[in-house]
Amino acid sequence: MSTESLCRICGHTVHEFFDFGRQPLSDAFTVPEADSREEFFFRLATGICENCTMVQLTEEVQRDSMFHEDYPYHSSGSTFMRAHFEDFAKRLLATELATDDPFVVEMGCNDGVMLSTLAAAGVRHLGVEPSGGVADVAAAKGIRVRKSFFEESTAREILEEEGPADVVYAANTLCHIPYMDSILRGVKTLLTPTGVFVFEDPYLGDILERTSFDQIYDEHFFFFTARSVQAMAALHGLELVDVERLTVHGGEVRYTLAPSGARTPSDAVAELLAEEARNQVAELATLEKFGERVNNIRENLVALLSRLREEGATVVGYGATAKSATVNNFCGIGPDLIPFVSDSTPAKQGRLTPGVHIPVRDPEAFSDPYPDYALLFAWNHADEIMAKEQEFSAAGGRWILYVPEVHIV
């Protein structure tokens, strides 16, 4: 494609490879009486930097529009994710924090799900969370929280007040932040000479392999690989020293950065870099083929939902996720095909999904009566959800999924 912009990491040219069109804010669930003319939309398009290979959005949404007092996502909402963060915290306690008076800073701590385990162990900690509502939830658990965005100035203030950090951590947060230079300068400033910056985010390799295109929405600005993270870190005196593949959220990687030369990179780094080279993850042709598969999914999903409607089958959505905004608005799925979406988040119930305005109802609506089919937007929690909803399956209900392709379970 001919559309170009400048890379937010290194300043070189970004070549656009897919355009999802006009999209709303993914977590802007509106009340039914709201004026739809006031709803915010932007162009959701992705590109790759010709230099550092970072895949990124080509248009930025202002951070205050996405992360605010009413931000509805709570990390503790999933039993599986609670266990995931608890396990990681225990690992930190056994490795990086086995020192006198260790200090941990979490960027985007949400409702404190990871820091709770460290707090219970008496570890000095600080969560930095700009979304006031979830920050208050964390504080109510006894977590020390600073209500602000993390950037270089924030890091300098924390260093002055608290001293250096042994670990800076971020989960499903770093990919949200376009101003990466300020973030990484802040991390480098805040870390001890032997400290680590650990972050986990959706992995581009998994997105391409699974065609999980709904991982692309306003809040996800960057899509990391080992190669692009290595290049990004080097610009700020940091080095990629470890990587770990994770199964959460449809496939992530946990990256560990340290001050350059402070640690010897693990074999896992070289192995993942080699895998990415074999799979040509950073090649424009690979990304354009991904776009072709995305278009096929759109055609097949709309065709299936239209056929089921014509046959008189009932279909509802399950999980009013942020990523479902991309699916619904890109595919043009509205209340005519999906009359409502069932979701367990009270803040979303009684509202309308972004852009296409499908009503969100509570879980009781899902079983009163059960539909013939459920379109599973929260596919990354499929095992957990299907185990919980066995009565739906027992009643003859069937699940519709669209990753890695449209299929019925």
Side-chain angles (χ1 to χ4, degrees):
M1 291 185 180
S2 59
T3 304
E4 296 178 348
S5 56
L6 296 181
C7 178
R8 294 298 298 267
I9 299 298
C10 69
H12 284 69
T13 300
V14 170
H15 298 283
E16 186 177 306
F17 63 85
F18 199 80
D19 183 356
F20 290 92
R22 187 172 177 264
Q23 290 279 340
L25 298 177
S26 60
D27 269 317
F29 291 83
T30 59
V31 293
E33 61 271 18
D35 187 346
S36 61
R37 293 173 298 182
E38 297 180 359
E39 194 166 7
F40 176 85
F41 287 87
F42 73 109
R43 190 175 78 94
L44 179 65
T46 49
I48 183 169
C49 175
E50 65 182 13
N51 178 54
C52 72
T53 74
M54 183 69 76
V55 169
Q56 58 204 273
L57 300 189
T58 60
E59 185 173 322
E60 176 185 348
V61 176
Q62 292 300 309
R63 64 187 189 180
D64 294 334
S65 300
M66 297 182 288
F67 309 109
H68 45 72
E69 194 71 23
D70 298 322
Y71 185 65
Y73 180 74
H74 287 219
S75 298
S76 296
S78 163
T79 302
F80 182 82
M81 291 308 298
R82 287 199 302 272
H84 169 79
F85 289 121
E86 181 178 348
D87 288 346
F88 176 69
K90 289 178 178 177
R91 187 193 304 186
L92 282 183
L93 288 169
T95 55
E96 302 296 337
L97 304 181
T99 60
D100 292 335
D101 191 29
F103 179 44
V104 176
V105 174
E106 182 175 4
M107 186 189 312
C109 70
N110 198 264
D111 59 10
V113 61
M114 194 283 289
L115 289 179
S116 294
T117 300
L118 299 185
V123 172
R124 195 161 54 93
H125 64 274
L126 181 67
V128 182
E129 174 55 63
S131 302
V134 291
D136 289 340
V137 174
K141 298 176 181 178
I143 305 301
R144 295 182 61 230
V145 185
R146 179 189 181 116
K147 287 187 184 180
S148 67
F149 288 96
F150 186 99
E151 49 200 356
E152 184 178 9
S153 59
T154 317
R156 292 189 181 282
E157 290 170 5
I158 294 172
L159 179 66
E160 184 176 341
E161 296 167 6
E162 309 274 356
D166 299 274
V167 176
V168 176
Y169 175 67
N172 306 300
T173 297
L174 199 68
C175 71
H176 295 185
I177 307 170
Y179 52 97
M180 194 64 69
D181 54 347
S182 177
I183 294 289
L184 294 181
R185 286 197 303 267
V187 167
K188 183 74 182 330
T189 297
L190 188 54
L191 282 179
T192 68
T194 57
V196 290
F197 175 35
V198 183
F199 64 95
E200 53 192 72
D201 279 296
Y203 178 52
L204 178 64
D206 287 324
I207 293 172
L208 297 180
E209 180 182 349
R210 301 173 181 179
T211 321
S212 51
F213 69 95
D214 57 352
Q215 295 277 32
I216 302 171
Y217 55 96
D218 58 340
E219 294 178 11
H220 289 174
F221 190 86
F222 292 114
F223 302 90
F224 299 125
T225 62
R227 180 177 171 183
S228 63
V229 167
Q230 186 180 60
M232 175 181 75
L235 293 172
H236 297 278
L238 296 167
E239 185 176 9
L240 178 62
V241 296
D242 199 15
V243 292
E244 180 182 358
R245 301 290 292 269
L246 305 173
T247 60
V248 298
H249 290 308
E252 296 194 339
V253 169
R254 178 179 289 149
Y255 303 91
T256 301
L257 306 185
S260 297
R263 301 191 182 203
T264 301
S266 71
D267 292 341
V269 173
E271 291 167 3
L272 187 54
L273 287 169
E275 179 182 321
E276 291 173 359
R278 287 194 304 271
N279 295 336
Q280 298 182 315
V281 170
E283 297 295 327
L284 188 58
T286 302
L287 299 168
E288 289 175 339
K289 289 178 182 177
F290 163 78
E292 293 172 5
R293 298 196 303 274
V294 172
N295 281 325
N296 288 336
I297 288 176
R298 173 171 62 175
E299 293 174 7
N300 294 336
L301 181 57
V302 173
L304 173 61
L305 295 176
S306 299
R307 177 174 63 80
L308 292 175
R309 179 183 59 186
E310 292 168 3
E311 294 173 354
T314 53
V315 185
V316 305
Y318 194 105
T321 60
K323 60 182 179 286
S324 68
T326 297
V327 180
N328 289 330
N329 287 273
F330 176 63
C331 298
I333 298 171
D336 58 326
L337 293 175
I338 302 292
F340 72 89
V341 180
S342 170
D343 194 276
S344 60
T345 308
K348 297 179 182 179
Q349 294 162 9
R351 292 180 173 252
L352 305 176
T353 62
V356 294
H357 297 168
I358 301 173
V360 181
R361 300 178 63 183
D362 59 34
E364 287 70 27
F366 180 65
S367 59
D368 187 24
Y370 282 121
D372 299 312
Y373 296 85
L375 176 57
L376 184 55
F377 292 119
W379 55 264
N380 50 305
H381 296 296
D383 292 343
E384 184 178 350
I385 289 170
M386 290 180 184
K388 184 176 73 172
E389 298 290 359
Q390 292 183 28
E391 290 186 16
F392 167 62
S393 300
R398 304 178 75 183
W399 297 96
I400 300 172
L401 289 92
Y402 48 85
V403 173
E405 60 188 4
V406 178
H407 60 289
I408 297 175
V409 178

